[in-house]
Amino acid sequence: MRLIATFLIAAVWIGTPTTATADEPITLMGTILKWQYPQSKLSGSEMSDVPTVNADGNRTAASMVCKTHMTTKDSVEKVIAFYEKKLTPNPKADDKTKAEWTDGRAVLISDESAGRPFALHTILVTTKNTSTTLTVSRGSNETETHIHWKHYVRF
């Protein structure tokens, strides 16, 4: 059965803020740690400039992308449940966290596994200045769940 768990959340709270102040520069590992699945193994982590351009190819904003690959022995279902809980608004969030999400955000989770010999889920988190994608997959004969994470930030 194809299960598509799709939900949008317009939220002002999140437990994993990504906005940095002048006192808190954005770092690759600092950003990854906010999104890392517990006790997962990291590989292929990188941070780079990404030109945000208009239709004429002219740069319109400074931006960057961070990415990494994580693996865990936990099931796909457990990984998805972790991120669903992490991305649910927290009414007890501190004022700094609430202020960072005043423009809200959207969270879309989907399952594209139906009829395939592997599990494939995507999580897309979008705010005014960020876009985060987590692709969670596991083949029927694999012993680990793979989590590919990409995080785009426009300054």
Side-chain angles (χ1 to χ4, degrees):
M1 174 176 142
R2 182 176 181 174
L3 170 66
I4 297 180
T6 304
F7 63 94
L8 294 174
I9 302 171
V12 294
W13 308 304
I14 186 171
T16 57
T18 57
T19 305
T21 65
D23 298 332
E24 301 173 31
I26 294 175
T27 64
L28 176 60
M29 288 311 297
T31 306
I32 289 172
L33 289 175
K34 295 171 186 173
W35 290 91
Q36 184 179 9
Y37 184 77
Q39 299 162 357
S40 61
K41 296 175 192 170
L42 298 174
S43 64
S45 303
E46 64 181 74
M47 181 165 104
S48 61
D49 177 62
V50 174
T52 302
V53 297
N54 62 17
D56 296 323
N58 299 319
R59 188 167 193 147
T60 60
S63 55
M64 60 157 227
V65 68
C66 299
K67 60 184 175 179
T68 196
H69 178 248
M70 300 173 260
T71 55
T72 179
K73 297 231 181 255
D74 288 347
S75 69
V76 168
E77 293 77 15
K78 189 171 181 180
V79 171
I80 295 300
F82 168 80
Y83 285 109
E84 283 178 336
K85 182 177 179 183
K86 182 177 191 65
L87 296 169
T88 299
N90 179 0
K92 296 180 182 177
D94 62 40
D95 290 341
K96 178 182 176 189
T97 300
K98 289 178 183 178
E100 291 171 351
W101 296 99
T102 56
D103 291 330
R105 67 186 170 128
V107 177
L108 174 66
I109 300 176
S110 63
D111 178 351
E112 301 300 330
S113 307
R116 296 179 174 176
F118 56 89
L120 177 62
H121 298 252
T122 56
I123 302 170
L124 177 62
V125 183
T126 306
T127 70
K128 182 178 179 181
N129 293 313
T130 66
S131 178
T132 304
T133 304
L134 294 140
T135 305
V136 181
S137 63
R138 186 173 188 154
S140 57
N141 62 346
E142 292 182 321
T143 59
E144 293 185 314
T145 298
H146 297 262
I147 307 161
H148 292 273
W149 169 80
K150 287 186 182 178
H151 180 71
Y152 167 84
V153 178
R154 179 173 57 187
F155 300 105

